[in-house]
Amino acid sequence: MARRALKLASWTSMALAASGFYLYRNKYLDLNDFGAVRVGRAVATTAVISYDYLTSLRSVPYGSEEYLQLRSKVHLRSARRLCELCCANRGTFIKVGQHLGALDYLLPEEYTSTLKVLHSQAPQSSMQEVRQVIREDLGKELPGTRAQCFDGPSDQSGYENAEENHCDSDGKMHPSLFHTNLQIHDLFMSFDDAPLGAASLAQVHKAVLHDGRTVAVKVQHPKVQAQSSKDILLMEALVLAVKQLFPEFEFMWLVDEAKKNLPLELDFLNEGRNAEKVAQMLKHFDFLKVPQIYWELSTKRVLLMEFVDGGQVNDRDYMERNKIDVNEISRHLGKMYSEMIFVNGFVHCDPHPGNVLVRKCPGTGKVEIVLLDHGLYQVLTEEFRLDYCHLWQSLIWTDMKSVKKYSQRLGAGDLYPLFTCMLTARSWDSVNRGIGQTPVTATERKTDSKQVNKQDSEIRNNAANYLPQISRLLSLVPRQMLLIFKTNDLLRGIEAALGTRASATSFLNMSRCCIKALAAHKKKNTHSFFRRAQISLSEAFNLWQINLHELVLRVKGLRLASWVLALLCWLLPAPH
């Protein structure tokens, strides 16, 4: 009897194993669907990385040349293991890995350079999965169920009208768009199977509606929503475990940010509202293009928007072919983000090159910046925004007493010198000399760029040397500061790719925005006509000072020979 039971169990096990292998080979089964596999993979990777740090550096004198070389190797091995884990577990893991990869001046270079590949190695959903999400959200396959519909705020002009939004009075999809057994061709005249791009949470396809409009269709990966909350809990447990082994490292801020931001990024209706808000907020910038959202076919997991083509903002070859001035792009980008941060306190926090395109407008030929992916925004409190304005003003005008004061107000404490270096991506010596003193002409910029590259190297080395202090500082500053750090580093990466980082123009544009923001705040808090006039006069004078300062820097950057030659040409015009 026992032998028969053993034989039956063996045959059953073989059948189950063969069935599992068949399902896995034919992509009916994904190991990532099993929580035990994802947890086991993450725990094993964390254990191996921790063991490597604990054992590899134990027998080497701290701070020695051998220690620094060995530490770099351990950083690189660990970064590769972490990258492999993110690629295997996908979704939330890739999102967090991308965040770490963007912190160029805060984390060791071995980590940031390795994790940067996650921006281009995000997994793609199959076309079958894309169809499934579209059916579920825009026209349920099962009879008797209804599609989701946009339920935006009543102040969204044009979208509160149920008939115009293709919804009935209960907020359900209008019968003209509701189908059982909905197919892609019911909604689109054509739909490209190959995605334009894939990210950690979604992918984008090009399509054409039946009325002829060309659209970009953003479709969420089907399993991300269900896995995200469990993944964050897992990360929290692993970070707490690592803290027990390495008490000096504080990375709970990373988990806290993921907890807060991921649910917002997974709600595409929230992304659509952000897009419309920033387009309205910056409508005075004629160089900014934000694709229009088509609410009638948008849900929490599917977002339809106007299709806009262009080259990535770090693609210098594209700009040369299309005669786009890189310095103009850099100036526009600086103006746009300075306005977001200092004036409005509503900041697009994911400006990696895939989300920022450049093009010449087909109708006018003017250069445009196209801003995409509006899922992640940071809303700054008024107190934080004003302190941040004061801090940058102090940095630009080298008022070191105020630099200390406002750095400490922003939570830096006694680590304020490190804080300002992280914020400006400049050495402490450079901060003390004045970050706004760099000449703004191309000739001087070439010379000064060597100094910037030297400082970059110094800062990257310091990121490795001061990692415990950096992680402590990141746990001290307000949560709003964390995404500002990430945004700053991404923008510096774009400037470095364009070769425009050595110019003081960006700092002076920031100063202009700070002056306007502080003046607006003072005017808002006074009812006296004379006081408001005084504030306006002071604002105009300060802006004039900046213009004069910029002119002086330009003059200093010009060579005497250029002046003499120009003068001679003016005095002695060439004979006809």
Side-chain angles (χ1 to χ4, degrees):
M1 186 72 178
R3 288 180 65 187
R4 284 183 64 189
L6 182 62
K7 190 174 180 181
L8 180 62
S10 300
W11 279 106
T12 303
S13 301
M14 287 174 63
L16 287 171
S19 301
F21 181 73
Y22 171 81
L23 291 170
Y24 178 70
R25 279 287 302 272
N26 289 277
K27 298 185 178 179
Y28 294 117
L29 183 68
D30 187 350
L31 291 178
N32 272 316
D33 291 343
F34 294 96
V37 173
R38 297 169 66 79
V39 171
R41 198 185 279 140
V43 170
T45 302
T46 305
V48 170
I49 290 173
S50 300
Y51 182 78
D52 197 0
Y53 276 106
L54 284 170
T55 58
S56 298
L57 303 173
R58 183 184 296 166
S59 58
V60 185
Y62 179 82
S64 65
E65 187 66 30
E66 184 185 1
Y67 177 89
L68 296 177
Q69 290 177 0
L70 188 57
R71 185 184 64 183
S72 178
K73 290 177 181 176
V74 176
H75 281 336
L76 187 58
R77 285 199 299 267
S78 301
R80 286 172 177 165
R81 288 170 181 141
L82 187 59
C83 187
E84 288 169 6
L85 170 65
C86 292
C87 289
N89 274 11
R90 300 183 296 206
T92 310
F93 281 82
I94 286 184
K95 193 71 187 174
V96 171
Q98 288 173 344
H99 190 152
L100 291 172
L103 300 176
D104 272 319
Y105 298 92
L106 307 184
L107 296 179
E109 186 178 6
E110 293 87 351
Y111 276 93
T112 56
S113 59
T114 302
L115 294 174
K116 266 184 180 15
V117 302
L118 294 174
H119 281 295
S120 57
Q121 288 190 4
Q124 292 184 11
S125 293
S126 67
M127 198 56 207
Q128 181 183 355
E129 290 173 317
V130 169
R131 289 192 186 98
Q132 175 192 340
V133 172
I134 290 175
R135 284 194 197 104
E136 288 175 356
D137 278 37
L138 291 175
K140 301 277 192 177
E141 248 190 333
L142 297 174
T145 57
R146 291 177 181 265
Q148 298 177 34
C149 192
F150 171 64
D151 185 21
S154 59
D155 63 346
Q156 292 284 346
S157 176
Y159 298 118
E160 68 270 19
N161 185 299
E163 186 178 351
E164 183 177 331
N165 193 29
H166 298 273
C167 300
D168 59 26
S169 58
D170 297 324
K172 303 301 183 182
M173 189 68 74
H174 194 280
S176 64
L177 284 182
F178 172 72
H179 298 273
T180 57
N181 301 315
L182 182 81
Q183 299 297 324
I184 289 278
H185 62 257
D186 293 327
L187 296 173
F188 306 102
M189 188 161 59
S190 67
F191 191 99
D192 291 357
D193 287 359
L196 294 168
S200 54
L201 306 180
Q203 63 192 49
V204 179
H205 293 260
K206 184 178 179 182
V208 179
L209 297 174
H210 287 291
D211 62 9
R213 287 178 293 175
T214 303
V215 296
V217 187
K218 184 173 182 178
V219 184
Q220 194 172 114
H221 298 313
K223 297 164 189 172
V224 169
Q225 192 85 246
Q227 293 170 344
S228 61
S229 56
K230 301 185 189 85
D231 286 346
I232 291 172
L233 284 174
L234 173 58
M235 287 179 197
E236 186 171 14
L238 293 175
V239 167
L240 288 171
V242 169
K243 185 169 169 54
Q244 297 302 311
L245 294 172
F246 307 98
E248 68 274 21
F249 292 104
E250 290 273 1
F251 279 95
M252 190 52 70
W253 56 268
L254 186 63
V255 177
D256 291 340
E257 282 301 291
K259 267 185 188 176
K260 183 186 79 174
N261 294 320
L262 200 59
L264 296 173
E265 290 190 77
L266 288 170
D267 181 359
F268 289 175
L269 296 179
N270 177 66
E271 178 176 343
R273 289 190 286 268
N274 287 341
E276 290 197 334
K277 181 175 179 177
V278 82
Q280 177 66 23
M281 193 174 78
L282 302 180
K283 64 182 180 182
H284 54 285
F285 289 145
D286 59 357
F287 59 79
L288 175 62
K289 172 68 177 175
V290 177
Q292 181 186 349
I293 305 298
Y294 298 131
W295 291 111
E296 66 269 22
L297 290 172
S298 293
T299 71
K300 284 194 172 186
R301 295 194 301 167
V302 180
L303 186 67
L304 250 73
M305 66 201 95
E306 174 188 4
F307 176 78
V308 183
D309 207 356
Q312 289 195 1
V313 72
N314 62 346
D315 188 347
R316 293 197 65 158
D317 291 338
Y318 175 88
M319 294 192 206
E320 286 174 13
R321 286 196 309 271
N322 290 275
K323 295 181 173 57
I324 296 173
D325 182 6
V326 294
N327 293 302
E328 184 184 1
I329 293 298
S330 186
R331 282 195 303 272
H332 286 341
L333 207 55
K335 284 179 185 176
M336 191 170 79
Y337 269 88
S338 292
E339 188 95 3
M340 285 190 210
I341 294 169
F342 299 113
V343 178
N344 296 291
F346 186 67
V347 190
H348 181 286
C349 288
D350 203 10
H352 70 78
N355 289 340
V356 186
L357 306 182
V358 294
R359 69 168 191 168
K360 282 196 171 177
C361 180
T364 64
K366 281 188 175 181
V367 172
E368 287 185 333
I369 292 177
V370 183
L371 195 59
L372 305 174
D373 196 348
H374 300 270
L376 183 58
Y377 272 75
Q378 180 65 67
V379 179
L380 308 180
T381 64
E382 186 169 72
E383 182 185 4
F384 177 93
R385 181 175 62 83
L386 295 173
D387 283 343
Y388 195 59
C389 283
H390 281 298
L391 175 58
W392 270 107
Q393 282 288 79
S394 306
L395 285 165
I396 289 165
W397 299 110
T398 327
D399 179 358
M400 300 312 294
K401 186 177 178 181
S402 294
V403 166
K404 179 178 179 180
K405 173 187 173 182
Y406 288 106
S407 295
Q408 290 180 337
R409 279 177 65 94
L410 289 168
D414 59 343
L415 293 173
Y416 77 91
L418 177 62
F419 176 70
T420 54
C421 292
M422 289 163 60
L423 197 59
T424 60
R426 295 285 192 270
S427 67
W428 181 239
D429 286 342
S430 179
V431 170
N432 276 284
R433 285 197 306 270
I435 60 172
Q437 305 303 313
T438 310
V440 295
T441 61
T443 306
E444 279 285 318
R445 195 182 301 141
K446 287 178 183 175
T447 306
D448 198 68
S449 64
K450 295 176 183 176
Q451 181 66 23
V452 172
N453 291 335
K454 183 181 176 183
Q455 286 188 27
D456 276 357
S457 178
E458 180 185 336
I459 290 164
R460 288 177 188 279
N461 288 334
N462 286 340
N465 295 331
Y466 294 107
L467 189 56
Q469 291 89 338
I470 289 172
S471 63
R472 181 181 155 222
L473 182 59
L474 292 175
S475 69
L476 290 174
V477 296
R479 301 295 92 180
Q480 300 163 79
M481 195 72 239
L482 299 176
L483 283 179
I484 295 294
F485 275 135
K486 175 193 172 186
T487 305
N488 285 347
D489 279 356
L490 285 169
L491 291 172
R492 286 188 195 110
I494 291 171
E495 287 181 339
L498 297 179
T500 58
R501 268 208 62 206
S503 173
T505 304
S506 57
F507 290 124
L508 296 176
N509 282 332
M510 289 168 69
S511 187
R512 288 184 180 99
C513 279
C514 289
I515 289 168
K516 291 174 184 175
L518 293 171
H521 174 70
K522 289 174 184 174
K523 287 176 189 174
K524 190 175 75 172
N525 290 320
T526 184
H527 299 291
S528 166
F529 172 80
F530 294 105
R531 176 62 182 147
R532 290 170 70 91
Q534 186 183 18
I535 293 167
S536 296
L537 203 62
S538 175
E539 177 186 4
F541 177 72
N542 288 332
L543 291 172
W544 176 80
Q545 274 187 312
I546 291 177
N547 293 336
L548 182 62
H549 181 68
E550 187 170 20
L551 179 63
V552 169
L553 289 177
R554 288 186 183 278
V555 170
K556 282 170 66 178
L558 290 170
R559 294 185 178 181
L560 183 60
S562 301
W563 279 92
V564 172
L565 182 61
L567 183 62
L568 287 173
C569 289
W570 180 69
L571 292 173
L572 303 170
H576 296 288

